[in-house]
Amino acid sequence: MTTTQSPRSDTRARIIDVALELFAEHGYEKTSLREIADRLGVTKAALYYHFKTKDDIVRGIVEKMAAPLDDAIAYGEGKPWSPELRDELLRRFATGMGERAPLLRFFHENQPALRESAAGLAFKDRMIRMISLLHGPEPTFRDKLRATVALTSMHSAMFLLKADMCEPGEPATPVEEAMAAALEVALEVAARIEPPAR
């Protein structure tokens, strides 16, 4: 069974992809809507039909970026905390993160511009909700820290890939391998989160 996207959602996805390319090349602040429209080969008015401002585009980027996070949160909310739930939340979050490498790079490289934006604050709220689901009720500070470190291991793996920290002549790590390593580390760290003593 195949699914088809509407031309409108297809165009929105293309705008987001092109905007990400330009934000990576020039930075968020230095990229204009005119440049995005030119790269797409459309008029600025056509771009406005989908996104009125760069902030609207960033909201679209955050929605795309947050899909695995939203799925994991929806899965975990309302369930009693357990080590099995904690691990499944991390697995669900990790799913699809490899395909979101350009989005992670965008977040890393444009943190100052995003920090106080509505889209950035909404993403921060999602991360806090996910961290709370990972550490469960009555966490110690160490458990909160472990949950945060476990979750951000996916982002850290993408940072390392971008930094290309391999030795000269050594092949770069494939994204899939990096994500598998990040999940392994996340699960190791999260395994130290203790259930509340009763």
Side-chain angles (χ1 to χ4, degrees):
M1 172 194 253
T2 59
T3 59
T4 56
Q5 287 188 311
S6 71
R8 186 174 197 285
S9 64
D10 238 13
T11 303
R12 285 179 65 86
R14 280 186 51 236
I15 292 168
I16 287 172
D17 290 343
V18 166
L20 278 169
E21 286 173 18
L22 287 167
F23 293 158
E25 289 172 25
H26 309 294
Y28 172 79
E29 298 290 348
K30 293 181 181 176
T31 301
S32 69
L33 288 174
R34 163 63 57 212
E35 289 171 294
I36 295 169
D38 288 348
R39 175 79 58 99
L40 281 163
V42 300
T43 65
K44 206 168 164 187
L47 182 64
Y48 282 155
Y49 175 75
H50 298 281
F51 297 102
K52 303 281 186 240
T53 66
K54 282 197 303 183
D55 284 342
D56 289 341
I57 294 173
V58 170
R59 273 193 288 283
I61 290 170
V62 167
E63 286 171 18
K64 187 174 178 180
M65 169 75 181
L69 193 53
D70 290 341
D71 292 345
I73 289 168
Y75 173 80
E77 285 186 328
K79 288 187 171 69
W81 187 90
S82 69
E84 294 78 21
L85 176 65
R86 175 201 64 212
D87 293 353
E88 182 61 21
L89 289 169
L90 286 169
R91 285 187 190 93
R92 285 173 181 255
F93 178 70
T95 301
M97 289 304 287
E99 293 90 53
R100 286 172 170 73
L103 299 168
L104 290 171
R105 279 195 290 277
F106 167 74
F107 270 83
H108 280 293
E109 293 168 3
N110 294 282
Q111 285 180 15
L114 297 175
R115 190 172 291 126
E116 297 305 319
S117 72
L121 292 171
F123 190 76
K124 179 181 173 183
D125 178 63
R126 286 175 166 114
M127 291 292 285
I128 290 168
R129 287 170 57 204
M130 181 67 169
I131 289 165
S132 295
L133 287 171
L134 288 174
H135 63 58
E138 302 173 38
T140 64
F141 180 80
R142 282 179 175 79
D143 286 340
K144 290 178 184 178
L145 184 58
R146 286 180 181 115
T148 304
V149 170
L151 189 60
T152 57
S153 66
M154 314 309 164
H155 300 271
S156 299
M158 298 314 291
F159 170 78
L160 287 174
L161 282 179
K162 182 190 174 289
D164 197 30
M165 297 174 69
C166 56
E167 297 293 320
E170 181 185 328
T173 303
V175 172
E176 298 79 22
E177 187 179 322
M179 287 293 92
L183 178 58
E184 180 183 326
V185 169
L187 291 168
E188 288 170 3
V189 171
R192 302 236 5 235
I193 297 172
E194 300 292 333
R198 294 285 173 204

